[in-house]
Amino acid sequence: MKQVIAMHGWSGDSRVWRPWQRRFQHHGWTWQNGERGYGSRPPFMPTWSSDRSPVQQQRRVIIGHSLGPHLLPEPVLRASTDVVLLACFSRFVPVGRAGRALHTGLIGMGHCIGTDQERTMLHTFLNRAAAPESASGLPANPVHDGLSTAGRQRLRADLTQLRDTASLPSGLPTGARVLVVNAGADAIVVAEARRQLLEDLQHHLQHKPSIWTLEGSGHALLVPDLLLRVQEWLEHSGTAP
């Protein structure tokens, strides 16, 4: 049985995965989306379906963007066989002077939630996430549709978690097959955080991760054929983007 659990990042929702879900289901994968419920969609955290096939034939794949893998429950991650990290990080804010401005900026973003500055702050974030592409190319999301009261609370809590992340997502198996897709022009995850992720993975995993860097791509990874490349990587053993 081939299963995928996908998790969106901060301020997004599960609609980002619609093209991915269609593609993977067409190729025989079962697909579930995690949902934080920042807007009108109710929060939902999937679990793996029971599978009686031989262990060596089971595939349980996590695909997460940005903060997404950190939002998943530890048991879900612990049971995965493959993990795809899209523009992710272990420690978001670098240690020391390099991270001070970013740390202060995240605190300021949190203060904007629920105020008149909220919409401007969130649209600024989306523009930076899409850059160098236009934010008009982003999928529909709660920022455009409107946040719920409970969604604002989760958004603020997840921003704090984003600020405080200091290690790999809890439960990441040491034996998992891991693909890291970095955005070469990422304006959200700084270069030091990308380097730290790779260093942490190399110390944690039994096998070296596959690493792709998409030069010129921004944090949102608005690359039309990326889902095809990832699906092929999972189906086969290729390591080149």
Side-chain angles (χ1 to χ4, degrees):
M1 187 175 183
K2 302 187 301 182
Q3 303 182 59
V4 175
I5 288 178
M7 192 65 211
H8 63 80
W10 188 78
S11 82
D13 69 19
S14 56
R15 286 174 292 180
V16 71
W17 302 114
R18 282 176 175 172
W20 294 70
Q21 184 171 359
R22 288 194 296 267
R23 170 76 181 187
F24 275 73
Q25 288 179 335
H26 179 72
H27 285 265
W29 293 78
T30 62
W31 184 285
Q32 297 183 80
N33 293 314
E35 173 62 65
R36 284 298 287 153
Y38 299 132
S40 60
R41 293 171 174 265
F44 174 72
M45 201 55 64
T47 57
W48 301 110
S49 301
S50 59
D51 189 350
R52 296 182 180 179
S53 61
V55 173
Q56 63 270 22
Q57 296 178 12
Q58 296 178 21
R59 299 290 296 282
R60 297 190 181 102
V61 176
I62 296 293
I63 302 179
H65 178 250
S66 193
L67 181 64
H70 293 274
L71 298 175
L72 290 170
E74 181 175 332
V76 170
L77 265 167
R78 192 171 298 283
S80 63
T81 60
D82 308 76
V83 178
V84 179
L85 302 174
L86 305 174
C88 290
F89 48 85
S90 49
R91 177 185 290 275
F92 185 74
V93 179
V95 176
R97 295 179 60 183
R100 288 177 187 170
L102 181 55
H103 186 273
T104 300
L106 291 172
I107 292 174
M109 289 172 66
H111 290 161
C112 289
I113 297 174
T115 73
D116 292 340
Q117 288 75 46
E118 176 185 273
R119 187 171 181 83
T120 298
M121 178 272 291
L122 289 172
H123 279 276
T124 298
F125 173 79
L126 291 181
N127 286 331
R128 286 178 58 81
E133 303 295 331
S134 168
S136 63
L138 293 172
N141 60 70
V143 175
H144 296 135
D145 299 345
L147 305 176
S148 66
T149 299
R152 283 189 174 88
Q153 295 174 354
R154 285 187 285 270
L155 192 73
R156 186 181 292 109
D158 291 349
L159 186 66
T160 299
Q161 182 174 352
L162 176 77
R163 186 188 71 206
D164 294 343
T165 54
S167 61
L168 294 170
S170 182
L172 180 69
T174 59
R177 183 177 178 229
V178 174
L179 169 63
V180 177
V181 182
N182 283 324
D186 200 324
I188 301 296
V189 179
V190 299
E192 176 58 31
R194 284 175 261 160
R195 286 193 293 269
Q196 185 68 54
L197 172 63
L198 298 182
E199 181 178 323
D200 290 345
L201 286 172
Q202 287 165 357
H203 283 96
H204 179 77
L205 298 174
Q206 296 174 11
H207 308 288
K208 290 184 178 180
S210 296
I211 303 166
W212 300 351
T213 299
L214 305 186
E215 300 296 345
S217 178
H219 183 69
L221 292 171
L222 298 177
V223 180
D225 66 343
L226 178 58
L227 68 93
L228 307 182
R229 304 185 202 181
V230 171
Q231 187 257 329
E232 290 171 358
W233 182 84
L234 287 167
E235 297 280 7
H236 308 293
S237 58
T239 57

